[in-house]
Tab-separated table of all heavy atoms in Angstrom:
chain	number	residue	atom	x	y	z
A	13	GLU	N	112.350	99.574	71.662
A	13	GLU	CA	112.809	100.260	72.874
A	13	GLU	C	111.654	100.922	73.611
A	13	GLU	O	110.636	101.262	73.032
A	13	GLU	CB	113.869	101.284	72.513
A	13	GLU	CG	115.187	100.594	72.198
A	13	GLU	CD	116.269	101.556	71.781
A	13	GLU	OE1	116.230	102.024	70.635
A	13	GLU	OE2	117.140	101.835	72.610
A	16	ALA	N	111.018	106.936	76.791
A	16	ALA	CA	111.504	107.435	78.075
A	16	ALA	C	110.387	107.996	78.948
A	16	ALA	O	110.494	107.998	80.163
A	16	ALA	CB	112.562	108.506	77.842
A	17	ASP	N	109.307	108.453	78.345
A	17	ASP	CA	108.237	109.074	79.102
A	17	ASP	C	107.357	108.088	79.852
A	17	ASP	O	106.593	108.481	80.717
A	17	ASP	CB	107.341	109.902	78.167
A	17	ASP	CG	107.976	111.238	77.853
A	17	ASP	OD1	108.952	111.600	78.540
A	17	ASP	OD2	107.496	111.912	76.938
A	34	GLN	N	100.443	108.716	72.301
A	34	GLN	CA	100.052	109.935	72.991
A	34	GLN	C	99.877	111.098	72.017
A	34	GLN	O	100.674	111.261	71.090
A	34	GLN	CB	101.109	110.314	74.029
A	34	GLN	CG	100.693	111.510	74.857
A	34	GLN	CD	101.719	111.849	75.913
A	34	GLN	OE1	102.878	112.075	75.616
A	34	GLN	NE2	101.280	111.881	77.162
A	37	SER	N	99.600	115.447	76.782
A	37	SER	CA	99.476	114.936	78.133
A	37	SER	C	98.008	114.652	78.416
A	37	SER	O	97.162	115.518	78.283
A	37	SER	CB	100.011	115.974	79.112
A	37	SER	OG	99.849	115.514	80.428
A	143	ARG	N	87.363	115.269	81.711
A	143	ARG	CA	87.698	115.941	82.966
A	143	ARG	C	89.075	116.529	82.827
A	143	ARG	O	90.014	115.839	82.436
A	143	ARG	CB	87.690	114.963	84.135
A	143	ARG	CG	86.295	114.648	84.555
A	143	ARG	CD	86.252	113.671	85.685
A	143	ARG	NE	85.013	112.936	85.588
A	143	ARG	CZ	84.654	111.971	86.396
A	143	ARG	NH1	85.454	111.593	87.363
A	143	ARG	NH2	83.510	111.364	86.238
A	147	ARG	N	96.491	116.608	86.949
A	147	ARG	CA	97.747	115.962	86.608
A	147	ARG	C	97.506	114.595	86.001
A	147	ARG	O	97.440	113.592	86.706
A	147	ARG	CB	98.610	115.817	87.864
A	147	ARG	CG	99.983	115.402	87.520
A	147	ARG	CD	100.806	115.137	88.739
A	147	ARG	NE	101.808	114.163	88.342
A	147	ARG	CZ	102.411	113.349	89.140
A	147	ARG	NH1	102.149	113.370	90.413
A	147	ARG	NH2	103.300	112.509	88.692
A	154	ARG	N	95.053	107.543	83.857
A	154	ARG	CA	94.459	108.796	84.318
A	154	ARG	C	94.586	109.826	83.223
A	154	ARG	O	95.649	110.409	83.014
A	154	ARG	CB	95.148	109.279	85.594
A	154	ARG	CG	94.662	110.626	86.087
A	154	ARG	CD	95.055	110.881	87.518
A	154	ARG	NE	94.304	110.018	88.403
A	154	ARG	CZ	93.157	110.375	89.004
A	154	ARG	NH1	92.683	111.571	88.846
A	154	ARG	NH2	92.514	109.554	89.762
A	530	ARG	N	111.839	88.248	59.123
A	530	ARG	CA	112.548	87.073	59.629
A	530	ARG	C	111.756	86.466	60.782
A	530	ARG	O	111.029	87.161	61.480
A	530	ARG	CB	113.940	87.471	60.085
A	530	ARG	CG	114.774	88.068	58.979
A	530	ARG	CD	116.082	88.564	59.524
A	530	ARG	NE	116.859	87.455	60.094
A	530	ARG	CZ	117.648	86.655	59.380
A	530	ARG	NH1	117.776	86.853	58.077
A	530	ARG	NH2	118.319	85.683	59.946
A	539	ASP	N	105.033	87.905	70.706
A	539	ASP	CA	105.060	87.887	72.166
A	539	ASP	C	104.745	89.262	72.728
A	539	ASP	O	104.043	89.393	73.730
A	539	ASP	CB	106.430	87.420	72.674
A	539	ASP	CG	106.625	85.926	72.487
A	539	ASP	OD1	105.637	85.240	72.173
A	539	ASP	OD2	107.762	85.443	72.647
A	552	ARG	N	110.247	73.625	58.809
A	552	ARG	CA	110.757	72.595	59.704
A	552	ARG	C	109.632	71.681	60.194
A	552	ARG	O	109.739	70.460	60.156
A	552	ARG	CB	111.448	73.256	60.886
A	552	ARG	CG	112.262	72.297	61.719
A	552	ARG	CD	112.881	73.021	62.903
A	552	ARG	NE	113.963	73.910	62.487
A	552	ARG	CZ	114.608	74.710	63.337
A	552	ARG	NH1	114.261	74.764	64.599
A	552	ARG	NH2	115.593	75.472	62.902
A	560	GLU	N	102.836	74.136	64.737
A	560	GLU	CA	103.173	74.265	66.157
A	560	GLU	C	102.207	75.231	66.824
A	560	GLU	O	102.068	76.367	66.411
A	560	GLU	CB	104.610	74.749	66.320
A	560	GLU	CG	105.602	73.705	65.830
A	560	GLU	CD	106.877	74.318	65.290
A	560	GLU	OE1	107.378	75.265	65.913
A	560	GLU	OE2	107.333	73.859	64.230
B	12	G	P	112.093	107.947	73.046
B	12	G	OP1	111.365	108.036	74.323
B	12	G	OP2	112.428	109.189	72.314
B	12	G	O5'	113.444	107.148	73.271
B	12	G	C5'	113.411	105.908	73.979
B	12	G	C4'	114.801	105.334	74.021
B	12	G	O4'	115.247	105.024	72.674
B	12	G	C3'	115.878	106.270	74.543
B	12	G	O3'	115.875	106.326	75.954
B	12	G	C2'	117.141	105.644	73.973
B	12	G	O2'	117.494	104.479	74.695
B	12	G	C1'	116.646	105.229	72.582
B	12	G	N9	116.908	106.290	71.597
B	12	G	C8	116.042	107.263	71.160
B	12	G	N7	116.579	108.066	70.281
B	12	G	C5	117.873	107.601	70.138
B	12	G	C6	118.925	108.067	69.323
B	12	G	O6	118.934	109.025	68.541
B	12	G	N1	120.088	107.303	69.483
B	12	G	C2	120.204	106.229	70.322
B	12	G	N2	121.389	105.620	70.343
B	12	G	N3	119.223	105.779	71.084
B	12	G	C4	118.097	106.508	70.941
B	13	C	P	116.298	107.653	76.690
B	13	C	OP1	116.740	107.237	78.033
B	13	C	OP2	115.225	108.646	76.534
B	13	C	O5'	117.542	108.140	75.819
B	13	C	C5'	118.684	108.667	76.442
B	13	C	C4'	119.915	108.302	75.652
B	13	C	O4'	119.594	108.045	74.264
B	13	C	C3'	120.952	109.421	75.552
B	13	C	O3'	121.727	109.515	76.728
B	13	C	C2'	121.778	108.965	74.361
B	13	C	O2'	122.649	107.920	74.697
B	13	C	C1'	120.678	108.420	73.431
B	13	C	N1	120.220	109.429	72.456
B	13	C	C2	121.096	109.809	71.437
B	13	C	O2	122.224	109.296	71.394
B	13	C	N3	120.702	110.729	70.533
B	13	C	C4	119.489	111.262	70.615
B	13	C	N4	119.138	112.164	69.707
B	13	C	C5	118.570	110.899	71.655
B	13	C	C6	118.979	109.977	72.545
B	25	G	P	126.094	103.566	64.111
B	25	G	OP1	127.006	102.546	63.572
B	25	G	OP2	125.318	104.424	63.176
B	25	G	O5'	125.071	102.889	65.110
B	25	G	C5'	125.532	101.975	66.102
B	25	G	C4'	124.375	101.531	66.957
B	25	G	O4'	123.887	102.672	67.724
B	25	G	C3'	123.142	101.070	66.195
B	25	G	O3'	123.258	99.732	65.763
B	25	G	C2'	122.057	101.246	67.245
B	25	G	O2'	122.109	100.219	68.207
B	25	G	C1'	122.489	102.566	67.892
B	25	G	N9	121.837	103.705	67.226
B	25	G	C8	122.367	104.540	66.270
B	25	G	N7	121.531	105.464	65.882
B	25	G	C5	120.376	105.223	66.619
B	25	G	C6	119.140	105.893	66.622
B	25	G	O6	118.788	106.870	65.949
B	25	G	N1	118.248	105.310	67.515
B	25	G	C2	118.521	104.218	68.306
B	25	G	N2	117.536	103.805	69.097
B	25	G	N3	119.675	103.583	68.317
B	25	G	C4	120.551	104.136	67.454
B	34	U	P	122.800	82.782	50.231
B	34	U	OP1	123.511	81.501	50.288
B	34	U	OP2	121.679	82.985	49.285
B	34	U	O5'	122.278	83.131	51.701
B	34	U	C5'	123.110	82.885	52.838
B	34	U	C4'	122.466	83.413	54.079
B	34	U	O4'	122.017	84.774	53.854
B	34	U	C3'	121.199	82.696	54.528
B	34	U	O3'	121.512	81.522	55.245
B	34	U	C2'	120.543	83.749	55.414
B	34	U	O2'	121.145	83.786	56.682
B	34	U	C1'	120.900	85.043	54.675
B	34	U	N1	119.790	85.549	53.843
B	34	U	C2	118.779	86.255	54.502
B	34	U	O2	118.777	86.433	55.695
B	34	U	N3	117.775	86.713	53.679
B	34	U	C4	117.683	86.556	52.319
B	34	U	O4	116.717	87.030	51.730
B	34	U	C5	118.758	85.823	51.720
B	34	U	C6	119.752	85.353	52.490
B	36	G	P	116.148	79.455	59.864
B	36	G	OP1	117.292	79.801	60.714
B	36	G	OP2	115.950	78.081	59.373
B	36	G	O5'	114.775	79.949	60.535
B	36	G	C5'	114.780	81.146	61.309
B	36	G	C4'	114.271	80.832	62.707
B	36	G	O4'	112.988	80.203	62.574
B	36	G	C3'	115.134	79.832	63.466
B	36	G	O3'	114.975	80.073	64.857
B	36	G	C2'	114.491	78.499	63.171
B	36	G	O2'	114.699	77.522	64.143
B	36	G	C1'	113.021	78.913	63.147
B	36	G	N9	112.172	78.041	62.349
B	36	G	C8	112.289	77.754	61.022
B	36	G	N7	111.361	76.937	60.606
B	36	G	C5	110.605	76.666	61.734
B	36	G	C6	109.474	75.842	61.902
B	36	G	O6	108.897	75.174	61.057
B	36	G	N1	109.040	75.863	63.211
B	36	G	C2	109.605	76.572	64.219
B	36	G	N2	109.041	76.461	65.411
B	36	G	N3	110.661	77.347	64.083
B	36	G	C4	111.097	77.341	62.818
B	37	G	P	115.873	81.050	65.702
B	37	G	OP1	117.024	81.510	64.918
B	37	G	OP2	116.058	80.505	67.054
B	37	G	O5'	114.748	82.186	65.815
B	37	G	C5'	114.991	83.523	65.361
B	37	G	C4'	114.863	84.472	66.531
B	37	G	O4'	113.569	84.267	67.155
B	37	G	C3'	115.897	84.276	67.631
B	37	G	O3'	116.158	85.544	68.220
B	37	G	C2'	115.172	83.420	68.660
B	37	G	O2'	115.658	83.632	69.966
B	37	G	C1'	113.753	83.950	68.528
B	37	G	N9	112.701	83.020	68.896
B	37	G	C8	112.601	81.690	68.601
B	37	G	N7	111.506	81.154	69.065
B	37	G	C5	110.854	82.205	69.709
B	37	G	C6	109.622	82.240	70.407
B	37	G	O6	108.831	81.323	70.585
B	37	G	N1	109.356	83.511	70.895
B	37	G	C2	110.151	84.591	70.734
B	37	G	N2	109.730	85.727	71.267
B	37	G	N3	111.301	84.586	70.089
B	37	G	C4	111.587	83.357	69.605
B	39	G	P	117.471	90.788	63.562
B	39	G	OP1	117.365	92.087	62.827
B	39	G	OP2	117.245	89.506	62.897
B	39	G	O5'	118.897	90.725	64.208
B	39	G	C5'	119.984	91.139	63.508
B	39	G	C4'	120.761	90.015	62.836
B	39	G	O4'	119.895	89.230	61.971
B	39	G	C3'	121.806	90.536	61.863
B	39	G	O3'	122.947	90.958	62.580
B	39	G	C2'	122.047	89.332	60.964
B	39	G	O2'	122.846	88.380	61.616
B	39	G	C1'	120.622	88.768	60.852
B	39	G	N9	119.954	89.217	59.612
B	39	G	C8	118.746	89.867	59.536
B	39	G	N7	118.384	90.132	58.300
B	39	G	C5	119.412	89.628	57.530
B	39	G	C6	119.568	89.608	56.122
B	39	G	O6	118.813	90.062	55.244
B	39	G	N1	120.755	88.991	55.751
B	39	G	C2	121.675	88.464	56.628
B	39	G	N2	122.765	87.918	56.072
B	39	G	N3	121.533	88.466	57.934
B	39	G	C4	120.384	89.055	58.316
B	69	U	P	101.982	118.743	77.370
B	69	U	OP1	100.849	118.030	76.760
B	69	U	OP2	101.765	119.615	78.538
B	69	U	O5'	103.112	117.699	77.746
B	69	U	C5'	103.430	116.654	76.842
B	69	U	C4'	104.636	115.905	77.326
B	69	U	O4'	105.770	116.807	77.420
B	69	U	C3'	104.550	115.322	78.726
B	69	U	O3'	103.784	114.135	78.776
B	69	U	C2'	106.022	115.090	79.036
B	69	U	O2'	106.513	113.982	78.308
B	69	U	C1'	106.644	116.356	78.450
B	69	U	N1	106.793	117.427	79.457
B	69	U	C2	107.890	117.328	80.310
B	69	U	O2	108.695	116.423	80.247
B	69	U	N3	108.002	118.342	81.221
B	69	U	C4	107.155	119.409	81.381
B	69	U	O4	107.393	120.249	82.244
B	69	U	C5	106.042	119.436	80.472
B	69	U	C6	105.901	118.466	79.567
B	70	C	P	103.008	113.776	80.102
B	70	C	OP1	102.078	112.702	79.752
B	70	C	OP2	102.514	114.995	80.766
B	70	C	O5'	104.172	113.185	81.012
B	70	C	C5'	104.855	111.998	80.648
B	70	C	C4'	106.049	111.807	81.523
B	70	C	O4'	106.937	112.954	81.393
B	70	C	C3'	105.763	111.771	83.026
B	70	C	O3'	105.295	110.513	83.448
B	70	C	C2'	107.138	112.101	83.594
B	70	C	O2'	108.005	110.995	83.485
B	70	C	C1'	107.601	113.185	82.625
B	70	C	N1	107.261	114.549	83.106
B	70	C	C2	108.096	115.133	84.069
B	70	C	O2	109.072	114.492	84.490
B	70	C	N3	107.814	116.388	84.514
B	70	C	C4	106.752	117.040	84.039
B	70	C	N4	106.529	118.257	84.506
B	70	C	C5	105.889	116.457	83.065
B	70	C	C6	106.170	115.223	82.632
B	72	C	P	105.013	109.459	90.276
B	72	C	OP1	104.766	108.091	90.736
B	72	C	OP2	103.969	110.204	89.567
B	72	C	O5'	105.490	110.356	91.511
B	72	C	C5'	106.561	109.938	92.343
B	72	C	C4'	106.849	110.996	93.381
B	72	C	O4'	107.408	112.167	92.737
B	72	C	C3'	105.621	111.545	94.102
B	72	C	O3'	105.160	110.700	95.130
B	72	C	C2'	106.149	112.873	94.623
B	72	C	O2'	106.983	112.681	95.732
B	72	C	C1'	106.997	113.333	93.435
B	72	C	N1	106.203	114.181	92.517
B	72	C	C2	106.005	115.524	92.870
B	72	C	O2	106.499	115.942	93.919
B	72	C	N3	105.280	116.315	92.047
B	72	C	C4	104.755	115.816	90.927
B	72	C	N4	104.055	116.633	90.150
B	72	C	C5	104.942	114.449	90.549
B	72	C	C6	105.669	113.675	91.368
B	76	C	P	89.788	116.205	96.849
B	76	C	OP1	88.501	116.771	97.265
B	76	C	OP2	90.535	115.315	97.762
B	76	C	O5'	89.583	115.431	95.484
B	76	C	C5'	88.783	115.978	94.444
B	76	C	C4'	88.863	115.084	93.235
B	76	C	O4'	90.252	114.875	92.885
B	76	C	C3'	88.316	113.668	93.428
B	76	C	O3'	86.914	113.631	93.203
B	76	C	C2'	89.083	112.880	92.362
B	76	C	O2'	88.490	113.030	91.094
B	76	C	C1'	90.439	113.585	92.360
B	76	C	N1	91.426	112.874	93.194
B	76	C	C2	92.131	111.806	92.616
B	76	C	O2	91.900	111.510	91.436
B	76	C	N3	93.047	111.135	93.360
B	76	C	C4	93.262	111.494	94.634
B	76	C	N4	94.167	110.803	95.321
B	76	C	C5	92.552	112.569	95.241
B	76	C	C6	91.649	113.227	94.490
B	77	A	P	85.929	112.859	94.235
B	77	A	OP1	85.801	113.745	95.398
B	77	A	OP2	86.371	111.477	94.392
B	77	A	O5'	84.518	112.828	93.492
B	77	A	C5'	83.870	114.063	93.162
B	77	A	C4'	82.551	113.788	92.515
B	77	A	O4'	82.768	113.221	91.217
B	77	A	C3'	81.664	112.807	93.293
B	77	A	O3'	80.307	113.178	93.124
B	77	A	C2'	81.926	111.515	92.562
B	77	A	O2'	80.860	110.605	92.683
B	77	A	C1'	82.083	111.977	91.120
B	77	A	N9	82.863	111.104	90.264
B	77	A	C8	83.953	111.415	89.510
B	77	A	N7	84.440	110.426	88.811
B	77	A	C5	83.605	109.385	89.111
B	77	A	C6	83.593	108.055	88.687
B	77	A	N6	84.473	107.532	87.851
B	77	A	N1	82.632	107.258	89.167
B	77	A	C2	81.746	107.780	90.033
B	77	A	N3	81.669	109.013	90.501
B	77	A	C4	82.629	109.780	90.004
Side-chain angles (χ1 to χ4, degrees):
Chain A
E13 285 178 284
D17 281 347
Q34 185 178 56
S37 178
R143 283 179 208 178
R147 191 185 153 204
R154 176 164 290 266
R530 300 174 62 85
D539 286 349
R552 192 182 288 176
E560 294 150 42

